[in-house]
Coordinates of all heavy atoms in Angstrom, one line a residue:
M1376 N 0.8 -1.2 0.0 CA 0.0 0.0 0.0 C 0.9 1.2 0.0 O 1.4 1.7 1.0 CB -0.9 0.0 1.2 CG -2.0 -1.0 1.2 SD -3.2 -0.8 -0.2 CE -4.0 0.6 0.4
L1377 N 1.1 1.8 -1.2 CA 1.8 3.0 -1.3 C 0.9 4.2 -1.2 O -0.1 4.3 -1.9 CB 2.6 3.1 -2.6 CG 3.6 4.2 -2.8 CD1 4.8 4.0 -1.8 CD2 4.2 4.2 -4.2
G1378 N 1.2 5.1 -0.3 CA 0.3 6.3 -0.1 C 1.1 7.5 0.2 O 2.3 7.5 0.1
S1379 N 0.5 8.5 0.7 CA 1.2 9.7 1.1 C 0.3 10.5 2.1 O -0.9 10.3 2.1 CB 1.5 10.6 -0.1 OG 0.3 11.3 -0.6
K1380 N 1.0 11.2 2.9 CA 0.3 12.0 3.9 C 1.0 13.4 4.1 O 2.2 13.4 4.0 CB 0.0 11.3 5.2 CG 1.2 11.0 6.0 CD 0.7 10.4 7.3 CE 1.9 10.3 8.3 NZ 1.6 10.1 9.7
G1381 N 0.2 14.4 4.4 CA 0.7 15.7 4.6 C 1.3 15.8 6.1 O 0.9 15.1 7.0
Y1382 N 2.3 16.7 6.2 CA 2.8 16.9 7.5 C 3.2 18.4 7.6 O 3.3 19.1 6.6 CB 4.0 16.1 7.8 CG 5.3 16.5 7.0 CD1 6.2 17.3 7.7 CD2 5.5 16.1 5.7 CE1 7.4 17.7 7.0 CE2 6.6 16.6 5.0 CZ 7.5 17.4 5.7 OH 8.6 17.8 5.0
Q1383 N 3.3 18.9 8.9 CA 3.7 20.2 9.1 C 4.7 20.2 10.3 O 4.4 19.5 11.3 CB 2.6 21.2 9.4 CG 3.1 22.6 9.7 CD 2.0 23.6 9.9 OE1 0.8 23.2 10.2 NE2 2.3 24.9 9.9
K1384 N 5.8 20.9 10.2 CA 6.8 20.9 11.3 C 7.2 22.3 11.5 O 7.5 23.1 10.6 CB 8.0 20.1 10.7 CG 9.1 19.8 11.7 CD 10.0 18.7 11.2 CE 11.0 19.2 10.2 NZ 11.9 18.3 9.7
V1385 N 7.1 22.7 12.8 CA 7.5 24.1 13.2 C 9.0 24.1 13.4 O 9.6 23.3 14.2 CB 6.8 24.6 14.5 CG1 7.3 25.9 14.9 CG2 5.3 24.6 14.2
L1386 N 9.7 24.9 12.6 CA 11.2 25.0 12.7 C 11.7 25.9 13.7 O 12.8 25.8 14.2 CB 11.7 25.3 11.3 CG 11.3 24.4 10.1 CD1 11.8 25.1 8.8 CD2 11.9 23.1 10.3
G1387 N 10.9 26.9 14.1 CA 11.3 27.9 15.0 C 10.5 29.2 15.0 O 9.4 29.2 14.3
H1388 N 10.9 30.2 15.6 CA 10.2 31.5 15.7 C 11.1 32.6 15.4 O 12.3 32.5 15.6 CB 9.6 31.7 17.1 CG 8.5 30.7 17.4 ND1 8.8 29.5 17.9 CD2 7.2 30.7 17.2 CE1 7.6 28.8 18.1 NE2 6.6 29.5 17.6
T1389 N 10.5 33.7 14.9 CA 11.3 34.9 14.7 C 11.7 35.5 16.1 O 11.0 35.2 17.1 CB 10.5 36.0 13.9 OG1 9.4 36.3 14.7 CG2 10.1 35.5 12.5
Q1390 N 12.8 36.2 16.1 CA 13.3 36.8 17.4 C 12.5 38.1 17.7 O 12.4 38.4 18.9 CB 14.8 37.2 17.3 CG 15.7 36.0 16.9 CD 15.9 35.0 18.0 OE1 16.1 35.4 19.1 NE2 15.7 33.8 17.6
T1391 N 12.0 38.7 16.7 CA 11.3 40.0 16.8 C 9.9 39.8 16.6 O 9.5 39.0 15.8 CB 11.9 41.0 15.8 OG1 13.3 40.8 15.8 CG2 11.6 42.4 16.2
T1392 N 9.0 40.6 17.3 CA 7.6 40.5 17.0 C 7.3 41.2 15.7 O 7.9 42.1 15.3 CB 6.8 41.2 18.1 OG1 7.2 42.5 18.3 CG2 7.0 40.4 19.5
I1393 N 6.3 40.6 15.0 CA 5.8 41.2 13.7 C 4.3 41.5 14.0 O 3.6 40.7 14.5 CB 6.0 40.1 12.6 CG1 7.5 39.8 12.4 CG2 5.3 40.6 11.3 CD1 7.7 38.7 11.4
E1394 N 4.0 42.7 13.5 CA 2.6 43.0 13.6 C 1.8 42.4 12.4 O 2.1 42.7 11.3 CB 2.4 44.5 13.7 CG 0.9 44.9 14.2 CD 0.7 46.4 14.2 OE1 1.6 47.1 14.7 OE2 -0.4 46.8 13.9
C1395 N 0.8 41.6 12.8 CA 0.1 40.9 11.7 C -0.9 41.8 11.1 O -1.7 42.5 11.7 CB -0.6 39.7 12.4 SG -1.6 38.8 11.2
G1396 N -0.9 41.9 9.8 CA -1.8 42.8 9.0 C -3.2 42.2 8.9 O -4.1 42.8 8.4
H1397 N -3.4 41.0 9.4 CA -4.6 40.3 9.3 C -5.4 40.3 10.6 O -6.6 40.7 10.6 CB -4.3 38.8 8.9 CG -5.5 38.1 8.4 ND1 -6.2 37.1 9.1 CD2 -6.2 38.2 7.2 CE1 -7.2 36.6 8.3 NE2 -7.2 37.3 7.2
C1398 N -4.8 40.1 11.7 CA -5.5 40.1 13.0 C -5.0 41.2 14.0 O -5.5 41.3 15.1 CB -5.4 38.7 13.7 SG -3.8 38.3 14.3
N1399 N -4.0 42.0 13.5 CA -3.5 43.1 14.2 C -2.8 42.8 15.6 O -2.6 43.6 16.4 CB -4.6 44.2 14.5 CG -5.0 44.7 13.1 OD1 -4.2 45.0 12.3 ND2 -6.3 44.9 13.0
N1400 N -2.5 41.5 15.8 CA -1.7 41.1 17.0 C -0.2 41.2 16.6 O 0.2 40.8 15.5 CB -2.1 39.7 17.4 CG -3.4 39.6 18.0 OD1 -3.6 40.1 19.1 ND2 -4.4 39.0 17.4
A1401 N 0.6 41.6 17.6 CA 2.0 41.6 17.4 C 2.6 40.4 18.2 O 2.3 40.3 19.4 CB 2.6 42.9 18.0
N1402 N 3.3 39.6 17.5 CA 3.8 38.3 18.1 C 5.0 37.8 17.3 O 5.2 38.3 16.2 CB 2.7 37.3 18.1 CG 2.6 36.4 19.3 OD1 3.7 36.0 19.8 ND2 1.4 36.2 19.8
T1403 N 5.7 36.9 17.9 CA 6.8 36.3 17.1 C 6.1 35.3 16.2 O 5.2 34.6 16.6 CB 7.8 35.6 18.0 OG1 7.2 34.7 18.8 CG2 8.6 36.6 18.9
W1404 N 6.5 35.3 14.9 CA 5.9 34.4 13.9 C 6.6 33.1 13.8 O 7.8 32.9 14.1 CB 5.9 35.1 12.6 CG 4.8 36.2 12.5 CD1 4.2 36.9 13.5 CD2 4.2 36.7 11.3 NE1 3.3 37.7 13.0 CE2 3.3 37.6 11.6 CE3 4.4 36.3 9.9 CZ2 2.5 38.3 10.7 CZ3 3.6 37.0 9.0 CH2 2.7 38.0 9.3
E1405 N 5.8 32.1 13.5 CA 6.2 30.7 13.4 C 6.9 30.5 12.0 O 6.3 30.9 11.0 CB 5.0 29.8 13.5 CG 4.8 29.3 14.9 CD 3.5 28.4 14.9 OE1 2.9 28.1 13.9 OE2 3.2 28.1 16.1
I1406 N 8.0 29.8 12.0 CA 8.6 29.4 10.7 C 8.3 27.9 10.6 O 8.7 27.1 11.5 CB 10.1 29.7 10.7 CG1 10.3 31.2 10.9 CG2 10.8 29.2 9.5 CD1 11.5 31.6 11.7
S1407 N 7.6 27.5 9.6 CA 7.3 26.1 9.5 C 7.6 25.5 8.1 O 7.7 26.2 7.1 CB 5.8 25.9 9.9 OG 5.0 26.7 9.0
E1408 N 7.7 24.2 8.1 CA 7.9 23.5 6.9 C 6.6 22.6 6.7 O 6.2 21.9 7.6 CB 9.1 22.6 7.1 CG 9.4 21.6 5.9 CD 10.5 20.7 6.3 OE1 11.6 21.1 6.7 OE2 10.3 19.4 6.1
T1409 N 6.1 22.6 5.5 CA 5.0 21.7 5.2 C 5.4 20.9 3.9 O 6.2 21.3 3.1 CB 3.7 22.4 4.9 OG1 3.8 23.2 3.7 CG2 3.3 23.3 6.1
G1410 N 4.8 19.7 3.8 CA 5.1 18.9 2.7 C 4.3 17.6 2.8 O 3.4 17.5 3.6
R1411 N 4.7 16.7 1.9 CA 4.0 15.4 2.0 C 5.1 14.3 2.1 O 6.2 14.5 1.7 CB 3.1 15.2 0.7 CG 2.0 16.2 0.6 CD 1.0 15.8 -0.5 NE 0.2 14.6 -0.1 CZ -0.8 14.8 0.8 NH1 -1.2 15.9 1.2 NH2 -1.6 13.7 1.1
K1412 N 4.7 13.2 2.7 CA 5.6 12.1 2.8 C 5.0 10.9 2.2 O 3.8 10.5 2.4 CB 5.8 11.7 4.3 CG 7.0 12.5 4.9 CD 7.2 12.2 6.4 CE 8.2 13.1 6.9 NZ 8.3 13.1 8.4
F1413 N 5.8 10.2 1.3 CA 5.3 8.9 0.8 C 5.3 7.9 1.9 O 6.2 7.9 2.8 CB 6.3 8.4 -0.3 CG 6.0 8.9 -1.6 CD1 6.9 9.8 -2.3 CD2 4.8 8.6 -2.3 CE1 6.7 10.2 -3.6 CE2 4.6 9.1 -3.6 CZ 5.5 9.9 -4.2
T1414 N 4.3 7.1 1.9 CA 4.2 6.1 3.0 C 4.1 4.7 2.3 O 3.4 4.6 1.3 CB 3.1 6.3 3.9 OG1 1.9 6.4 3.2 CG2 3.3 7.6 4.8
L1415 N 4.7 3.7 2.9 CA 4.5 2.3 2.4 C 4.1 1.5 3.7 O 4.8 1.4 4.6 CB 5.9 1.8 1.9 CG 5.8 0.4 1.3 CD1 4.9 0.3 0.1 CD2 7.3 0.0 0.9
Y1416 N 2.9 1.0 3.6 CA 2.3 0.3 4.7 C 2.4 1.2 6.0 O 2.8 0.7 7.1 CB 3.0 -1.0 5.0 CG 2.7 -2.0 3.9 CD1 3.7 -2.3 3.0 CD2 1.5 -2.7 3.8 CE1 3.5 -3.2 2.0 CE2 1.2 -3.6 2.7 CZ 2.3 -3.9 1.8 OH 2.0 -4.7 0.8
W1417 N 2.0 2.4 5.8 CA 1.9 3.4 6.9 C 3.3 3.8 7.5 O 3.4 4.4 8.5 CB 1.0 3.0 8.0 CG -0.4 2.7 7.4 CD1 -1.3 3.6 7.0 CD2 -0.9 1.4 7.0 NE1 -2.4 3.0 6.4 CE2 -2.2 1.6 6.4 CE3 -0.4 0.1 7.1 CZ2 -3.0 0.6 6.0 CZ3 -1.2 -0.9 6.7 CH2 -2.5 -0.7 6.1
I1418 N 4.4 3.4 6.8 CA 5.7 3.8 7.3 C 6.1 4.9 6.4 O 6.2 4.8 5.2 CB 6.7 2.6 7.2 CG1 6.2 1.4 8.0 CG2 8.1 3.0 7.6 CD1 6.8 0.1 7.5
P1419 N 6.4 6.1 7.0 CA 6.9 7.2 6.2 C 8.2 6.9 5.5 O 9.1 6.5 6.2 CB 7.0 8.4 7.2 CG 6.3 7.9 8.4 CD 6.4 6.4 8.4
L1420 N 8.3 7.2 4.2 CA 9.6 6.9 3.5 C 10.4 8.1 3.4 O 11.5 8.2 3.9 CB 9.3 6.3 2.2 CG 8.6 4.9 2.1 CD1 8.4 4.4 0.7 CD2 9.5 3.9 2.9
F1421 N 9.9 9.1 2.6 CA 10.7 10.3 2.4 C 9.7 11.4 2.1 O 8.7 11.2 1.5 CB 11.8 10.1 1.3 CG 11.2 9.7 0.0 CD1 10.8 10.7 -1.0 CD2 11.1 8.4 -0.4 CE1 10.4 10.3 -2.2 CE2 10.6 8.0 -1.6 CZ 10.2 9.0 -2.5
P1422 N 10.1 12.6 2.4 CA 9.3 13.8 2.1 C 9.5 14.3 0.8 O 10.5 14.1 0.2 CB 9.7 14.8 3.2 CG 11.1 14.4 3.5 CD 11.3 13.0 3.2
Y1423 N 8.5 15.0 0.2 CA 8.6 15.7 -1.1 C 7.7 16.9 -1.1 O 6.8 17.0 -0.2 CB 8.3 14.7 -2.2 CG 6.8 14.3 -2.3 CD1 5.9 14.9 -3.2 CD2 6.3 13.3 -1.5 CE1 4.6 14.5 -3.3 CE2 5.0 12.9 -1.5 CZ 4.1 13.5 -2.4 OH 2.8 13.2 -2.5
G1424 N 7.9 17.7 -2.1 CA 7.1 18.9 -2.2 C 7.1 19.8 -1.0 O 6.1 20.4 -0.6
K1425 N 8.3 20.0 -0.4 CA 8.5 20.8 0.8 C 8.3 22.3 0.5 O 8.8 22.8 -0.5 CB 9.9 20.7 1.4 CG 10.1 19.4 2.2 CD 11.5 19.6 2.8 CE 12.0 18.2 3.2 NZ 13.4 18.4 3.7
T1426 N 7.5 23.0 1.3 CA 7.4 24.4 1.2 C 7.6 25.0 2.6 O 7.3 24.3 3.6 CB 6.1 24.9 0.6 OG1 5.0 24.2 1.2 CG2 6.1 24.8 -0.9
Y1427 N 8.1 26.2 2.7 CA 8.4 26.9 3.9 C 7.6 28.1 4.1 O 7.3 28.8 3.1 CB 9.9 27.2 4.0 CG 10.8 26.0 3.8 CD1 11.2 25.6 2.6 CD2 11.1 25.2 4.9 CE1 12.0 24.4 2.4 CE2 11.8 24.0 4.8 CZ 12.3 23.7 3.5 OH 13.0 22.5 3.4
F1428 N 7.1 28.3 5.3 CA 6.2 29.5 5.6 C 6.6 30.2 6.8 O 7.2 29.6 7.8 CB 4.8 29.0 5.8 CG 4.1 28.5 4.6 CD1 4.2 27.1 4.3 CD2 3.4 29.3 3.7 CE1 3.6 26.6 3.1 CE2 2.8 28.8 2.5 CZ 2.9 27.4 2.3
V1429 N 6.4 31.5 6.8 CA 6.5 32.3 8.0 C 5.1 32.8 8.3 O 4.4 33.3 7.4 CB 7.6 33.4 8.0 CG1 7.3 34.4 6.9 CG2 7.7 34.1 9.3
S1430 N 4.5 32.5 9.5 CA 3.1 32.8 9.7 C 2.8 33.3 11.1 O 3.5 32.9 12.0 CB 2.2 31.6 9.3 OG 2.5 30.5 10.1
C1431 N 1.7 34.0 11.2 CA 1.2 34.5 12.5 C 0.7 33.3 13.3 O -0.1 32.5 12.7 CB 0.0 35.5 12.2 SG -0.9 36.0 13.6
P1432 N 1.1 33.1 14.5 CA 0.7 32.0 15.3 C -0.8 32.1 15.7 O -1.4 31.1 16.2 CB 1.6 32.0 16.5 CG 2.0 33.4 16.7 CD 2.0 34.0 15.3
I1433 N -1.4 33.2 15.6 CA -2.8 33.4 16.1 C -3.8 33.1 15.0 O -4.7 32.3 15.2 CB -3.0 34.8 16.7 CG1 -2.1 35.0 18.0 CG2 -4.5 35.1 17.0 CD1 -1.8 36.4 18.4
C1434 N -3.6 33.7 13.8 CA -4.6 33.5 12.8 C -4.0 32.7 11.6 O -4.8 32.4 10.7 CB -5.2 34.8 12.3 SG -4.0 35.8 11.4
H1435 N -2.7 32.4 11.7 CA -2.1 31.6 10.7 C -2.0 32.3 9.3 O -1.8 31.6 8.3 CB -2.6 30.2 10.6 CG -2.5 29.4 11.9 ND1 -1.2 29.0 12.3 CD2 -3.3 29.2 12.8 CE1 -1.4 28.4 13.5 NE2 -2.6 28.5 13.8
F1436 N -2.2 33.6 9.3 CA -1.9 34.4 8.1 C -0.4 34.4 7.9 O 0.3 34.6 8.8 CB -2.5 35.8 8.3 CG -2.2 36.7 7.2 CD1 -2.9 36.7 6.0 CD2 -1.2 37.7 7.4 CE1 -2.6 37.6 5.0 CE2 -0.9 38.6 6.4 CZ -1.6 38.6 5.2
G1437 N 0.0 34.3 6.7 CA 1.5 34.3 6.5 C 1.8 34.3 5.0 O 1.0 34.5 4.2
K1438 N 3.1 34.0 4.8 CA 3.6 33.9 3.4 C 4.6 32.8 3.3 O 5.3 32.4 4.2 CB 4.1 35.3 3.0 CG 5.3 35.7 3.8 CD 6.0 37.0 3.2 CE 7.2 37.3 4.0 NZ 8.0 38.4 3.4
E1439 N 4.7 32.4 2.0 CA 5.7 31.4 1.7 C 7.1 32.0 1.6 O 7.2 33.1 1.1 CB 5.3 30.7 0.4 CG 6.1 29.5 0.1 CD 5.7 28.8 -1.2 OE1 4.5 28.9 -1.7 OE2 6.5 28.1 -1.8
I1440 N 8.1 31.3 2.1 CA 9.4 31.8 2.0 C 10.3 30.7 1.3 O 9.9 29.6 1.3 CB 10.0 32.2 3.4 CG1 10.0 31.1 4.3 CG2 9.3 33.5 3.9 CD1 10.8 31.3 5.6
Q1441 N 11.5 31.2 0.9 CA 12.4 30.2 0.3 C 13.2 29.6 1.4 O 13.4 30.1 2.5 CB 13.4 31.0 -0.6 CG 12.7 31.6 -1.8 CD 11.9 30.6 -2.7 OE1 12.5 29.6 -3.1 NE2 10.7 30.9 -2.9
K1442 N 13.7 28.4 1.1 CA 14.5 27.6 2.1 C 15.7 28.5 2.6 O 16.1 28.5 3.8 CB 15.0 26.3 1.5 CG 15.6 25.4 2.6 CD 16.1 24.1 2.0 CE 16.6 23.2 3.1 NZ 17.1 21.9 2.7
S1443 N 16.3 29.2 1.6 CA 17.5 30.1 2.0 C 17.1 31.3 2.9 O 18.0 31.9 3.5 CB 18.1 30.6 0.7 OG 17.1 31.3 -0.1
D1444 N 15.8 31.6 3.0 CA 15.4 32.7 3.9 C 15.1 32.2 5.3 O 15.0 33.1 6.2 CB 14.1 33.3 3.4 CG 14.2 33.9 2.0 OD1 15.3 34.4 1.7 OD2 13.2 34.0 1.3
I1445 N 15.1 30.9 5.6 CA 14.8 30.4 6.9 C 15.7 31.0 8.0 O 15.3 31.5 9.0 CB 14.8 28.9 7.0 CG1 13.7 28.3 6.1 CG2 14.7 28.4 8.4 CD1 13.9 26.8 5.9
E1446 N 17.0 31.0 7.7 CA 18.0 31.4 8.6 C 17.8 32.9 8.9 O 17.9 33.4 10.1 CB 19.4 31.2 8.0 CG 20.6 31.2 9.0 CD 20.5 30.0 9.9 OE1 19.8 29.0 9.6 OE2 21.2 30.0 10.9
T1447 N 17.5 33.7 7.9 CA 17.2 35.1 8.1 C 16.1 35.4 9.0 O 16.1 36.2 9.9 CB 16.9 35.7 6.7 OG1 17.9 35.3 5.8 CG2 16.9 37.3 6.7
Y1448 N 15.0 34.6 8.8 CA 13.8 34.8 9.6 C 14.0 34.3 11.1 O 13.5 34.9 12.0 CB 12.6 34.1 9.0 CG 11.9 34.9 8.0 CD1 12.1 34.7 6.6 CD2 11.1 36.0 8.3 CE1 11.6 35.5 5.7 CE2 10.5 36.8 7.4 CZ 10.8 36.6 6.0 OH 10.2 37.4 5.1
L1449 N 14.8 33.2 11.3 CA 15.1 32.8 12.6 C 15.8 33.8 13.4 O 15.7 33.9 14.6 CB 16.0 31.5 12.6 CG 15.2 30.2 12.2 CD1 16.2 29.1 12.0 CD2 14.3 29.8 13.4
N1450 N 16.6 34.7 12.7 CA 17.3 35.8 13.4 C 16.7 37.1 13.3 O 17.2 38.1 13.6 CB 18.8 35.8 12.8 CG 19.5 34.6 13.1 OD1 19.6 34.1 14.3 ND2 20.1 33.9 12.1
Y1451 N 15.5 37.1 12.7 CA 14.8 38.4 12.4 C 14.4 39.1 13.7 O 13.8 38.5 14.6 CB 13.5 38.1 11.6 CG 12.8 39.3 11.2 CD1 13.1 40.1 10.1 CD2 11.6 39.8 11.9 CE1 12.4 41.2 9.7 CE2 10.9 40.9 11.6 CZ 11.3 41.6 10.5 OH 10.7 42.7 10.1
Ligands
ZN1184 ZN1 -2.6 37.2 12.6

């Protein structure tokens, strides 16, 4: 049974608070990775289609970032 399932992993948070243009809360934003994993008999094999996001932890409004930007946002 080859399948796939989505996953989300929080990589860290920004050092500085960002004011959210969506819910108007100022908070440190979450940097997360989302993607899908191929599974074989429910055993995860490898991830694919990874995308990275920086987003408001309250309303989850955010934007997609490049992998190379992660380090920048972790120190933001
Ligand atoms: Zn928000």
Side-chain angles (χ1 to χ4, degrees):
M1376 289 299 289
L1377 189 66
S1379 73
K1380 67 174 191 163
Y1382 74 97
Q1383 181 178 12
K1384 188 166 76 177
V1385 176
L1386 302 173
H1388 294 86
T1389 60
Q1390 303 290 313
T1391 318
T1392 56
I1393 298 174
E1394 194 179 321
C1395 179
H1397 196 251
C1398 67
N1399 297 316
N1400 286 292
N1402 219 316
T1403 54
W1404 281 25
E1405 270 178 4
I1406 299 146
S1407 58
E1408 175 188 308
T1409 64
R1411 298 192 73 78
K1412 273 179 185 166
F1413 273 117
T1414 54
L1415 183 62
Y1416 294 104
W1417 305 281
I1418 301 159
L1420 294 180
F1421 59 89
Y1423 68 99
K1425 281 187 198 172
T1426 45
Y1427 301 93
F1428 291 91
V1429 58
S1430 59
C1431 170
I1433 295 160
C1434 69
H1435 298 287
F1436 171 80
K1438 61 172 182 169
E1439 191 177 335
I1440 58 169
Q1441 298 303 308
K1442 191 178 183 180
S1443 55
D1444 295 333
I1445 294 171
E1446 202 68 15
T1447 310
Y1448 277 102
L1449 282 170
N1450 295 307
Y1451 183 82

